[in-house]
Amino acid sequence: MTPPIHWEETTLTVPGLPRPLTLMQITDAHMTLSDQRDSAYTREVEEDRTGGFGRVGMNLPPAEAFRLTLKAAEGADCLVFTGDILDAPTAINRETLDGFLNPPKTPYLYITGNHDWSRTWINGRSAREDGDLEVLGAFLDPRTGYGVCQLDGVRLIGLDDSEYQISEDALRFFREQTADGAPCLLFLHIPLYLPTLLADTMDAWEDPILLGAPPELYRQRTAPVPTESTLEFCRLAETLPNLLGVFTGHLHFPHENLLPSGVRQYVTPPAYQGRGRRIRLVPGE
């Protein structure tokens, strides 16, 4: 019997929207496929992680859990993937994902997570280098890592924050996309730091693995000191009047918290658990 997929339910009212829309957010599938093209080390690590994700998820390999989640999302107006769909950018992971998504049956927006491009499980290198996004070129713009999708006057904006930073170019792009006052939804991999999210994050990860978190809060890892463009982005995202919601992943647990503007940030649970988020946009005044 196929395990059921569980969707967190979010409904947002959009002034002037001509018709209801349904978006499906899928995040953190952590597909762990590897083959003979990979080193023995990579195959061993990914086999071990396959079992680990299965034990805390659907008791299925992550790629199969992701396939079932995609099938359950059929009929949506748009799919949004908010990172770590791949546990590592192995060739078979990328080929399998390409077979799942392309050519697109449904419009989609893909935002990279830190695992999608990281070669930690391939050659021990975790820092991004030139060309790392190019292997994801079938799913996103490898020059920037960010993108936008327009749906009936609603703008879906996806930004790459997978290194715990927002670049100056990405900040400029975000300003341009939000400047005209059109209703927007923001999609990130790593959630914005907010005090109301801190306790649950520390309980789960023992460090505040959040965008813009104060470095002095870190206990174990080298703290990513936020750049000025990152801090400015956080300030802007937290106060924009035409931003209707922020949707993220990364933490592997569900959460909702309020931004200073009064809109909500949503953390969506992982696809390896057979979970995701259904976002209903409904017309309103």
Side-chain angles (χ1 to χ4, degrees), residues 127-190:
R128 187 187 294 181
E129 296 181 7
D130 289 345
D132 279 353
L133 288 187
E134 291 178 5
V135 299
L136 303 174
F139 319 112
L140 50 79
D141 184 343
R143 298 166 301 172
T144 64
Y146 48 75
V148 64
C149 181
Q150 303 273 3
L151 285 177
D152 287 352
V154 180
R155 196 165 293 149
L156 314 182
I157 304 170
L159 295 183
D160 175 11
D161 67 346
S162 62
E163 293 185 283
Y164 293 88
Q165 305 288 6
I166 294 291
S167 69
E168 292 183 1
D169 284 344
L171 173 60
R172 186 179 306 111
F173 176 80
F174 185 62
R175 287 188 186 279
E176 291 169 353
Q177 294 297 324
T178 57
D180 63 359
C184 298
L185 277 63
L186 174 62
F187 294 89
L188 304 167
H189 178 60
I190 298 171

Side-chain angles (χ1 to χ4, degrees), residues 85-96:
I85 302 304
L86 308 181
D87 193 55
T90 62
I92 191 172
N93 257 345
R94 291 182 279 115
E95 291 164 359
T96 302

Side-chain angles (χ1 to χ4, degrees), residues 48-109:
D48 181 65
R49 288 172 67 80
T50 297
F53 286 123
R55 284 191 296 273
V56 297
M58 300 178 72
N59 201 29
L60 293 172
E64 177 63 10
F66 178 63
R67 186 189 70 80
L68 294 173
T69 306
L70 277 177
K71 184 173 179 58
E74 290 178 354
D77 293 289
C78 186
L79 304 177
V80 185
F81 302 100
T82 49
D84 285 4
I85 302 304
L86 308 181
D87 193 55
T90 62
I92 191 172
N93 257 345
R94 291 182 279 115
E95 291 164 359
T96 302
L97 182 61
D98 195 30
F100 284 158
L101 300 186
N102 297 321
K105 299 177 183 177
T106 303
Y108 71 80
L109 183 63

